[in-house]
Amino acid sequence: MPSSNNKHHLEDYAPIVTSGVIREIEELARLLGPVRIVHVNSTKEGGGVAEILGWFIPIIEELGMKVDWEVITGEKDFFTITKKFHNALHGQPEEFTEEMFAAYLDNVGKNAPKIPEDADFVVIHDPQPAAMIGEYPDRKNRWAWRCHIDLSEADLRVWGFLRPFVERYDGAVFHLPQYTKNLMAPQFIVPPAIDPLAPKNEKLSEEEVSSTLHKLGVANDKRIILQVARFDRLKGPFGAIEAFRLVRRWYDCCLILAGGSATDDPESQAVLAEVQDMAGDDPDIHILNLPPDSHREINALQRAATVVVQNSRREGFGLTVTEAMWKAKPVVGTDIGGIRHQIIHGVSGFLTHSVEGLAYRIRQLFGNPGMAKRFGQQAREYVRNNLLVPHHIRRWLLVFHSLRQSGNGDLITLPPHEITE
Ligand code: UDP
């Protein structure tokens, strides 16, 4: 379940973000008019894509547009193949057969949601439904492929297979400039964002934080190292346990690995079992397998943490890093992908290259509470200025304007003032 069950209005964000952003959004929306937008992804629960669409859609609707959210369906085999695609696009070695590519296309063809003819824009997320565009050779609307993956080391076979589909889109939208590819289609940069007013990120009382920890079986009597992530090898849960064991030689502390699974990830149960196995019966390692609607619980855990870690091997962006930074936590994360983009090393957190480095930086923060506090405050300001709902909406509206301009459709005039980032 996305975390935006509490619907908020655009105006509610005005006191949080830099003045002017809300006005720009309203102007861009007015110029775009009452367009219809269809989003297609592969799950409504779990992971960053579902998280973002949960708050993105109500606000776009409030701005006068119509939005549909469709999900591509498939049997477990389909999601096993697309998970391999996902891993391979992140640069992990995976084995593929011709049959897998054929089965993927077959399922996309059979289960592709029907896109209404009057949709003005179609946004297809990630590889799972990417080939859907092949089903619409005579489309009149504008299609964007929204990629949430770090493609910088993408496996050539899978990328070579997907690329001809991607090039049929009117644009491809990436999180970061370093993820863009040499493509025939125009490319746009839209980093993700978090909703500061959602249950995942809103302010919580100290009582609620304490009672949530108690409910989850975590005694609030020692320093807490926290990693929030789906149980996925690429999230580095094993290295987080190793680092914790190194830190514990110096400081009394506990480790919380809080996660769950996404419905499009068939591997998560096996990874969870391996993580539990590695943790053994250590009372200071808490493996929390949370249901997908545990937004307030994750919020409380992030607020209770002394240091938040994100030991990912690959990371398209890492919304969990943004969430922790917004809660003024110092984050120690791997020097990769979107983590590198968010943490300013030595200013708002630390970037690391090994388990030993991770342990060293956690110890450094444990030993310097003043530094930890300063990092946290700087982290929060970075998010306030760059990675909140209004920033994301504004960037997408600009993409829709550009997409519309790119074809033979009506030309629109951008607002006279400069759009500043
Ligand atoms: N998340 C969650 N429950 C979990 C694990 C993650 O609600 O058990 C949320 C997390 O708070 C974040 C998103 O899912 O909002 C994960 O996004 P991220 O970009 O960190 O990673 P992804 O799962 O998309 O690879």
Side-chain angles (χ1 to χ4, degrees), residues 132-145:
M132 256 183 71
I133 194 158
E135 306 295 312
Y136 294 88
D138 303 320
R139 68 196 173 81
K140 301 273 182 294
N141 29 32
R142 301 274 183 272
W143 285 49
W145 185 56

Side-chain angles (χ1 to χ4, degrees), residues 46-49 51 200 228-230 235 258-261 290-292 295 298 302 315 317-321 323:
V49 183
E51 187 78 20
K200 174 72 61 64
V228 176
R230 293 177 291 102
K235 300 286 182 184
S261 53
L290 301 172
H295 306 298
I298 289 177
Q302 288 166 330
E315 194 63 78
F317 193 74
L319 279 175
T320 50
V321 172
E323 289 161 5

Side-chain angles (χ1 to χ4, degrees), residues 25-83:
I25 290 173
E26 287 168 347
E27 185 64 1
L28 286 167
R30 191 183 64 75
L31 288 165
L32 207 52
V35 293
R36 182 169 186 186
I37 303 164
V38 181
H39 284 270
V40 183
N41 83 324
S42 60
T43 177
K44 286 218 173 181
E45 279 185 356
V49 183
E51 187 78 20
I52 290 175
L53 287 178
W55 51 253
F56 184 76
I57 291 175
I59 293 191
I60 291 287
E61 283 175 334
E62 186 192 339
L63 286 164
M65 293 161 236
K66 180 167 174 15
V67 190
D68 308 84
W69 179 357
E70 303 285 351
V71 171
I72 184 161
T73 54
E75 299 299 320
K76 190 173 168 214
D77 285 357
F78 173 70
F79 289 113
T80 303
I81 296 169
T82 57
K83 177 73 186 178

Side-chain angles (χ1 to χ4, degrees), residues 88-296:
L89 290 172
H90 264 302
Q92 290 290 106
E94 288 283 355
E95 296 289 319
F96 290 98
T97 61
E98 285 307 318
E99 290 70 37
M100 288 179 186
F101 291 113
Y104 164 80
L105 289 179
D106 185 52
N107 189 68
V108 171
K110 273 204 277 212
N111 293 293
K114 291 287 159 254
I115 304 295
E117 270 185 16
D118 66 342
D120 298 283
F121 299 103
V122 180
V123 183
I124 303 289
H125 294 260
D126 281 339
Q128 295 91 336
M132 256 183 71
I133 194 158
E135 306 295 312
Y136 294 88
D138 303 320
R139 68 196 173 81
K140 301 273 182 294
N141 29 32
R142 301 274 183 272
W143 285 49
W145 185 56
R146 182 12 158 184
C147 178
H148 298 262
I149 296 173
D150 171 358
L151 289 184
S152 49
E153 292 176 40
D155 173 276
L156 289 179
R157 188 160 181 211
V158 178
W159 177 239
F161 169 75
L162 286 176
R163 182 189 176 121
F165 292 105
V166 172
E167 292 197 323
R168 289 169 137 176
Y169 284 77
D170 301 294
V173 185
F174 296 94
H175 287 334
L176 300 175
Q178 56 267 40
Y179 297 174
T180 55
K181 304 298 272 183
N182 189 9
L183 279 178
M184 301 290 284
Q187 300 179 62
F188 302 91
I189 308 298
V190 179
I194 58 163
D195 182 354
L197 303 177
K200 174 72 61 64
N201 299 307
E202 70 187 337
K203 253 192 182 156
L204 297 182
S205 67
E206 282 185 23
E207 293 74 46
E208 180 166 353
V209 172
S210 299
S211 65
T212 305
L213 255 64
H214 183 73
K215 187 182 85 185
L216 295 172
V218 180
N220 200 1
D221 58 354
K222 51 184 82 173
R223 293 176 180 86
I224 295 175
I225 304 168
L226 169 73
Q227 173 161 298
V228 176
R230 293 177 291 102
F231 290 102
D232 182 325
R233 280 176 226 290
L234 292 182
K235 300 286 182 184
F238 308 106
I241 295 179
E242 278 179 59
F244 160 72
R245 287 184 170 146
L246 292 173
V247 175
R248 191 170 46 183
R249 293 186 197 161
W250 300 77
Y251 289 97
D252 189 22
C253 58
C254 69
L255 172 70
I256 303 175
L257 294 180
S261 53
T263 51
D264 59 349
D265 181 2
E267 278 174 5
S268 57
Q269 287 309 317
V271 176
L272 172 62
E274 282 176 51
V275 171
Q276 284 167 330
D277 197 41
M278 181 168 175
D281 53 8
D282 188 331
D284 285 327
I285 303 183
H286 304 277
I287 313 287
L288 306 178
N289 184 16
L290 301 172
D293 58 352
S294 310
H295 306 298
R296 289 187 87 86

